[in-house]
């Protein structure tokens, strides 16, 4: 069985690379949002034209990015959402909620400092982990029944 995995959330570290590298040899495919921060922020105005008002600039980008995000989450078997140490990652929380509402298998990844603020998100997840290796171990177990 091939699993389609959507990797959502924090874009400032290499956690996605760690998971995809660790999952080599497993029957999985990965997708994710655009992780180039500048491209993600400016895609709407770069494609559909400039906006003098920052709200509409951001709105165009958010709407355009939502096409990719919705498609990725809707077609995923498992959604992994990473909350990083920096920034308020409202988009990651939104993606987790969207995945949960669609009944997707949800894995949430964050450090212990976010345990309390993310308690409701964690409660919707089937697994809560701290490290990319744990995600790979979950995928290996689900696919092959093998423990690390």
């Amino acid at each position: 069985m091939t699993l389609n995995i959507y990797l959502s959330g924090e874009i400032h570290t290499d956690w996605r690379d760690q998971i995809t590298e660790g999952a080599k040899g497993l029957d999985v495919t990965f997708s994710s949002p655009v992780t180039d921060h500048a491209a993600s922020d400016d895609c709407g105005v770069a494609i559909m034209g400039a906006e003098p008002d920052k709200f509409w600039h951001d709105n165009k980008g958010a709407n355009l990015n939502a096409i990719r995000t919705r498609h990725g989450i809707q077609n995923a078997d498992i959604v992994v959402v990473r909350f990083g140490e920096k920034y308020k990652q409202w988009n990651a929380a939104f993606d987790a909620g969207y995945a949960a509402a669609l009944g997707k298998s949800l894995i949430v990844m964050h450090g212990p400092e976010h345990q309390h603020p993310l308690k409701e998100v964690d409660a919707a997840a089937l697994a809560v982990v701290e490290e990319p290796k744990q995600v790979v171990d979950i995928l290996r177990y689900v696919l092959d029944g093998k423990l690390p």
Side-chain angles (χ1 to χ4, degrees):
M1 110 177 102
T2 300
L3 291 177
N4 296 312
I5 316 297
Y6 187 77
L7 303 174
S8 175
E10 184 269 307
I11 64 170
H12 302 286
T13 63
D14 70 345
W15 69 274
R16 285 180 181 83
D17 296 334
Q18 292 178 49
I19 291 172
T20 55
E21 183 66 29
K24 283 189 176 173
L26 296 178
D27 194 5
V28 295
T29 61
F30 292 100
S31 61
S32 67
V34 171
T35 58
D36 177 324
H37 202 168
S40 176
D41 283 351
D42 296 333
C43 64
V45 295
I47 295 169
M48 297 180 282
E51 287 291 343
D53 186 311
K54 182 68 171 146
F55 174 84
W56 293 113
H57 174 113
D58 289 345
N59 185 268
K60 277 185 176 180
N63 287 333
L64 195 53
N65 284 316
I67 296 169
R68 181 182 178 113
T69 301
R70 289 179 187 180
H71 177 78
I73 292 173
Q74 288 170 355
N75 290 298
D77 298 303
I78 299 173
V79 176
V80 178
V81 182
R82 161 106 172 116
F83 292 87
E85 296 174 15
K86 294 181 178 181
Y87 312 110
K88 303 283 188 224
Q89 293 158 28
W90 309 122
N91 59 322
F94 185 86
D95 289 356
Y98 184 55
L102 292 174
K104 300 297 178 174
S105 294
L106 178 62
I107 300 171
V108 173
M109 184 173 26
H110 61 75
E113 69 279 2
H114 288 101
Q115 182 270 320
H116 179 73
L118 291 174
K119 64 186 176 296
E120 286 82 9
V121 173
D122 289 352
L126 296 178
V128 179
V129 299
E130 292 184 21
E131 301 295 330
K133 182 185 180 315
Q134 293 172 298
V135 173
V136 173
D137 290 343
I138 289 169
L139 298 177
R140 185 169 287 109
Y141 177 76
V142 167
L143 285 166
D144 299 334
K146 294 181 181 175
L147 294 173

